[in-house]
Amino acid sequence: MNESDVAKRLRAILGHDGFVTSAYGRAMYFRDAGFLNAEPLGVCLPSDVDHLAQAVRYCSEHGIGMTPRGAGTGLAGGAVPLGGTVVIALSRMNRILEVDEENRHAWVEPGLANAALDQAVQRVGLRYAPDPSSEAACSIGGNVATNAGGAHCLAHGVTSWHVQALDFMDAQGDIHRLGSEAPEANGYDLRGIVVGSEGTFGIVTRICVRLMPRPREVRTLLLAFASVRAAAEAVSAIIASGFLPVALELMDQAAVELVQEFSQAAYPPDAGAILLVEFEGMPNQVEEATDVAVEEAARFGSTARVATDADDRARLWKGRKAIGGALARMAPDYYLHDVVVPRTRLADILDQVLQIAKEERVDVVNVMHAGDGNLHPLIPFDRTQKGTLEQVFRAGDRIVHAAMAMGGVPSGEHGIGLEKRSFLHEELFMDSQELELHLRLRSAMDPTGLMNPGKKVVRTLSKASDGALSMVPAGTWL
Amino acid sequence: MALTEKDIVDAVRAAADAQRAIEILGRGSLLRRLPDPPACVEIEVSRLQGIRSYEPEELTVTVAPGTPTAELADALAASGQECPLEGPGETVGGQIASGLSGVRRLGLGHIREWLLGGRVVTGEGVALRFGAPTVKNVSGYDVPRILCGSWGTLGVLTELTLRIRPRPRFQGWFFAREDSTLIGRVDSPAAVVRTRAGTFVLLEGHPKDCAEQAGRFNLSETEAPDLPQGVRISVPPREVDRILPELEGDFATELGVGVIHASPSEEAMPRIARCARAAGGRMLAFGDFPSLPSQLFMVSNGVADLASRVKHALDPFGLFAPWRLAS
């Protein structure tokens, strides 16, 4: 069996434009939104489950590894096709199959964009709550693979809470219904363990998502502080006050400065840190929660601004959502991590991040889902500067170690993917027995070892097994 | 009677050496309502009690599995917090192992969404951490999900870290004689329960918001509805109306969820169980009913291979409650 036989057969199954092998075509699928990249053998673009199953069956019978891909917005290299695997891109399977307004759920295909789902159900007064920052582009299938979070998951929960059931296609192309529209069922929650498995078990071909009603009232506040420590203490105080916000975002001074141009002057330019707090629910609850949050924050010296209407609310969020774009103005590249620490250690981890950045001579901008203790330190840089990549990766590595030393975890929502595998081999985070259990679970769900090889949970971290892995896209001029 | 995790490790290894199957027992409040197991070793965890760590501002608490849920609830309430472990089990471990949510499932989600991590002793007598104490974590596979609701077939839980939330300012049950359309109109009820008498709604939050809703929908304050304890039926919410006509006697249906609490006669149970299955659900009977086929099993059609292999990953010798695996 050679490459052209594979191409011929997969084109016969998927149609002439259903299997891409051109150099340019494959190059579109080298990487996700992170740095690591590798060449796939080819790219499958199935339009429906039956043809997908045939393609998967063919790959499985011929020992061809498969790398599932949603929209490729992932940041940890989960969709990078290692070792000459075939990419299985789900982008053409993007339909909404059924919306059950009365029972508040919908069946959708994995390639559907997160924001498209939310918009589609708006007209029946419902919403799909999980809102990763990439919501305009990221796919529901990708969200399921990473158990995606987002700014509003503090109260609404991560993706797993919003997945009632799913169709899971194993490496042999067989489909299993996991989970149920019934509230309780016999058996293990296999649905639950597939969510967040980053394509290493199989392919999710259909998802039953839970929909929520739109809130009666939303109130957004901007709180500005002289320092990050004051903001972090206010976070604890707001949580302890008994009113849980639906979102609680922290931006440090560097982040506030960075987005000044984008934020339509909503953020005080000299703030040491800001908190964006949002409450939702019934009117009296929201009003009292807002008043209490303003009071609690004032104990730490903050100023407060409450959004007056939906446009004002959008203005307050604009700066926060513009971080990626603003960074692109600062430097051609950025690198970020996704650590979680206990909430009470927020100020400590931020101190350490700034110290590490100083020692490694990199810049850093910090945004945080403060309610969850989930920090995104963003390091802008220019990869064409010699030695910069090494500095950046070293700084990132030290940040993750600092978080783990505080009892935190390497990834809160982006996933382990390719980039963070080594942390699962460190006793500081995961001992060898726990890793062994993960390896067994991976084999249990995918005995073939063909699903997304080399990602998330691997027995050994051999570079050789990663194939032609590169950190710099082909064609970059150095 | 196990007092420490090490005792449990020793007990599991001893059972493995003697090739004896294991039943894990807390207070037995759930298990004594199910058929007796065949001869086996019992590993009792009821003395593994106590709150190991609790920081209210972290919104997490770590407890030993034998801790009575009432004791945990009191400790959390003293700081104005709660964790909705409101199913039929009496201990925290029993609640998690059975994976049965309480009546606030509509508003607060499945009980599994409240488990963050903990420790477990596997069928090889290995003590492991699972999950993490942080409220978000995708660093490994979501092992807490398969342990919750595993009914003692995967391992012995020795420590549990739970998510908690602030208690609502006000909580009250309200009643309307009308039928079930309230579920679509009341804003974010914590529970909506329909009985033969009418519809009970649990409102939580700011007292003024709750009063406003009660006024708008003509609801009168009342006590919590009784939940019949005989069987627990679970069907997709839209199938509830297929099941209710089959029931004589009292029932309490969790609208929007699909759990029906009822106390049918033993003669009626096989027929109701068949209806539940035909509707895409199941019926769990609390009692020993010889005419009723086994109601609770971990490895079911369609996912038998996956489930068996997952079971094998944690319990390769098949020690834990093998009678609860297949129907």
Side-chain angles (χ1 to χ4, degrees):
Chain A
M1 182 205 67
N2 61 32
E3 275 185 35
S4 82
D5 288 341
V6 172
K8 219 155 65 175
R9 187 67 199 121
L10 286 172
R11 259 186 213 115
I13 294 170
L14 296 169
H16 184 75
D17 67 342
F19 185 65
V20 171
T21 50
S22 68
Y24 180 74
R26 284 182 298 122
M28 304 271 92
Y29 295 87
F30 276 13
R31 55 181 288 201
D32 59 14
F35 277 98
L36 303 168
N37 63 87
E39 266 191 60
L41 180 67
V43 184
C44 292
L45 286 147
S47 300
D48 60 75
V49 169
D50 290 335
H51 290 104
L52 168 61
Q54 287 177 51
V56 167
R57 217 162 282 138
Y58 173 80
C59 289
S60 174
E61 281 159 9
H62 292 88
I64 300 171
M66 292 168 269
T67 302
R69 180 187 180 95
T73 56
L75 290 159
V80 172
L82 293 181
T85 54
V86 150
V87 169
I88 312 265
L90 280 313
S91 47
R92 289 183 182 166
M93 289 173 57
N94 62 357
R95 294 173 301 161
I96 296 175
L97 301 168
E98 179 198 325
V99 177
D100 184 340
E101 189 185 333
E102 190 189 327
N103 293 297
R104 294 187 182 158
H105 67 246
W107 280 95
V108 303
E109 291 187 321
L112 179 68
N114 179 298
L117 170 59
D118 190 54
Q119 273 153 32
V121 300
Q122 261 189 50
R123 54 183 174 73
V124 296
L126 296 172
R127 61 173 160 167
Y128 179 66
D131 63 338
S133 300
S134 53
E135 61 191 329
C138 65
S139 67
I140 298 296
N143 291 166
V144 168
T146 54
N147 198 8
H152 287 78
C153 74
L154 174 56
H156 294 320
V158 293
T159 295
S160 188
W161 298 22
H162 300 270
V163 172
Q164 181 98 16
L166 50 87
D167 280 352
F168 167 75
M169 181 182 287
D170 65 26
Q172 274 136 350
D174 295 325
I175 296 183
H176 312 266
R177 171 63 55 88
L178 305 180
S180 170
E181 289 181 35
E184 294 160 3
N186 283 322
Y188 304 121
D189 186 15
L190 297 177
R191 167 221 70 103
I193 202 171
V194 164
V195 178
S197 59
E198 302 188 52
T200 60
F201 290 169
I203 297 171
V204 171
T205 58
R206 201 169 279 204
I207 306 115
C208 180
V209 295
R210 275 203 313 150
L211 302 171
M212 290 176 63
R214 300 211 158 250
R216 269 274 284 273
E217 191 85 27
V218 181
R219 199 71 63 84
T220 310
L221 313 79
L222 178 77
L223 303 167
F225 299 83
S227 70
V228 149
R229 192 159 283 274
E233 284 173 358
V235 166
S236 289
I238 289 169
I239 301 271
S241 72
F243 293 100
L244 197 61
V246 295
L248 186 49
E249 298 286 291
L250 186 151
M251 293 170 69
D252 74 355
Q253 185 168 44
V256 172
E257 275 172 21
L258 184 67
V259 300
Q260 277 303 308
E261 274 184 69
F262 292 80
S263 68
Q264 296 177 357
Y267 301 168
D270 54 350
I274 62 149
L275 282 183
L276 258 181
V277 188
E278 196 157 274
F279 292 102
E280 259 179 27
M282 297 293 279
N284 289 285
Q285 174 91 355
V286 166
E287 192 177 322
E288 187 171 343
T290 303
D291 290 344
V292 167
V294 168
E295 244 176 69
E296 290 295 326
R299 295 201 287 121
F300 302 95
S302 82
T303 59
R305 174 177 153 183
V306 181
T308 47
D309 56 28
D311 286 340
D312 203 22
R313 188 181 324 132
R315 195 172 302 121
L316 292 186
W317 276 101
K318 198 165 153 53
R320 169 63 183 88
K321 296 196 179 219
I323 280 281
L327 272 167
R329 300 261 296 254
M330 191 173 161
D333 300 301
Y334 71 84
Y335 181 63
L336 81 161
H337 264 290
D338 172 43
V339 295
V340 184
V341 296
R343 199 184 293 102
T344 47
R345 306 299 306 273
L346 282 192
D348 294 337
I349 190 67
L350 280 165
D351 279 347
Q352 286 204 37
V353 167
L354 292 176
Q355 182 61 28
I356 290 167
K358 194 161 138 193
E359 288 168 9
E360 299 296 338
R361 295 198 305 276
V362 296
D363 292 317
V364 71
V365 167
N366 289 293
V367 299
M368 192 180 231
H369 303 304
D372 310 310
N374 186 192
L375 171 68
H376 294 310
L378 297 121
I379 302 174
F381 71 99
D382 181 349
R383 78 185 77 178
T384 65
Q385 302 288 328
K386 194 170 155 59
T388 302
L389 266 178
E390 286 74 24
Q391 270 172 290
V392 164
F393 288 141
R394 202 165 46 235
D397 196 71
R398 288 182 62 188
I399 289 169
V400 177
H401 279 94
M404 294 193 307
M406 285 183 196
V409 303
S411 180
E413 57 187 9
H414 295 170
I416 293 292
L418 179 55
E419 187 195 53
K420 303 197 232 294
R421 300 172 307 173
S422 62
F423 299 114
L424 303 193
H425 291 254
E426 298 205 28
E427 294 275 337
L428 175 62
F429 176 63
M430 188 179 273
D431 71 25
S432 56
Q433 309 267 32
E434 196 184 343
L435 178 61
E436 176 63 28
L437 173 62
H438 277 75
L439 289 162
R440 287 188 189 182
L441 288 169
R442 185 174 183 161
S443 293
M445 297 297 288
D446 173 28
T448 70
L450 292 172
M451 293 311 308
N452 217 2
K455 306 293 172 48
K456 197 169 179 86
V457 169
V458 296
R459 191 167 286 283
T460 50
L461 290 166
S462 147
K463 276 277 185 271
S465 66
D466 293 349
L469 182 65
S470 154
M471 281 193 256
V472 175
T476 300
W477 185 80
L478 286 170
Chain B
M1 175 88 69
L3 291 174
T4 65
E5 183 178 84
K6 174 135 195 339
D7 293 335
I8 292 172
V9 165
D10 292 343
V12 170
R13 289 186 184 171
D17 288 342
Q19 294 179 32
R20 305 279 308 280
I22 297 172
E23 177 82 290
I24 303 163
L25 207 49
R27 281 188 172 181
S29 56
L30 280 168
L31 294 179
R32 85 170 84 88
R33 295 159 78 189
L34 296 177
D36 283 336
C40 62
V41 164
E42 284 180 351
I43 293 187
E44 290 184 56
V45 296
S46 56
R47 292 275 296 279
L48 224 70
Q49 284 191 28
I51 292 174
R52 302 261 168 87
S53 76
Y54 174 36
E55 286 171 78
E57 60 273 21
E58 282 300 337
L59 294 182
T60 62
V61 65
T62 298
V63 297
T67 308
T69 43
E71 184 184 310
L72 176 62
D74 288 344
L76 299 180
S79 293
Q81 296 184 326
E82 63 176 9
C83 177
L85 301 179
E86 296 166 349
E90 278 180 25
T91 62
V92 175
Q95 295 264 348
I96 294 294
S98 58
L100 301 174
S101 307
V103 83
R104 291 197 289 166
R105 166 84 183 262
L106 180 67
L108 274 64
H110 196 293
I111 188 175
R112 66 190 170 214
E113 290 158 15
W114 296 85
L115 176 66
L116 296 175
R119 296 184 60 80
V120 64
V121 175
T122 68
E124 288 172 289
V126 172
L128 295 180
R129 189 194 69 159
F130 67 90
T134 54
V135 296
K136 273 165 84 172
N137 173 36
V138 295
S139 310
Y141 295 127
D142 202 345
V143 177
R145 296 284 191 249
I146 49 163
L147 290 174
C148 186
S150 59
W151 283 90
T153 60
L154 293 180
V156 189
L157 300 169
T158 57
E159 190 174 274
L160 296 162
T161 299
L162 303 163
R163 189 166 62 85
I164 53 189
R165 71 161 201 166
R167 283 183 83 180
R169 276 268 301 273
F170 170 85
Q171 187 191 71
W173 282 96
F174 293 84
F175 177 77
R177 204 157 278 290
E178 65 128 286
D179 72 330
S180 44
T181 62
L182 273 177
I183 176 101
R185 297 186 288 132
V186 173
D187 211 299
S188 306
V192 181
V193 177
R194 178 167 146 210
T195 70
R196 289 199 193 280
T199 307
F200 293 76
V201 180
L202 180 63
L203 296 177
E204 292 184 339
H206 196 286
K208 282 192 190 157
D209 292 324
C210 297
E212 185 259 339
Q213 291 226 79
R216 186 148 40 101
F217 297 107
N218 266 323
L219 306 175
S220 47
E221 287 189 56
T222 187
E223 297 296 310
D226 285 325
L227 303 180
Q229 296 292 300
V231 303
R232 185 180 173 106
I233 300 162
S234 159
V235 291
R238 61 176 160 212
E239 301 290 337
V240 159
D241 286 333
R242 266 173 75 166
I243 306 293
L244 294 183
E246 302 289 330
L247 300 172
E248 296 156 356
D250 291 335
F251 63 76
T253 305
E254 297 177 31
L255 296 183
V257 171
V259 171
I260 305 170
H261 308 265
S263 289
S265 63
E266 191 177 338
E267 295 73 48
M269 283 189 190
R271 174 175 51 81
I272 296 167
R274 271 196 308 274
C275 284
R277 277 197 303 277
R282 73 163 184 199
M283 183 188 83
L284 201 52
F286 291 109
D288 195 347
F289 304 105
S291 62
L292 202 55
S294 164
Q295 293 300 294
L296 186 65
F297 45 88
M298 293 295 118
V299 175
S300 48
N301 291 338
V303 295
D305 289 348
L306 293 173
S308 302
R309 291 196 298 258
V310 164
K311 158 78 171 169
H312 192 261
L314 276 140
D315 181 22
F317 309 127
L319 296 177
F320 293 121
W323 47 85
R324 261 198 291 285
L325 286 186
S327 64

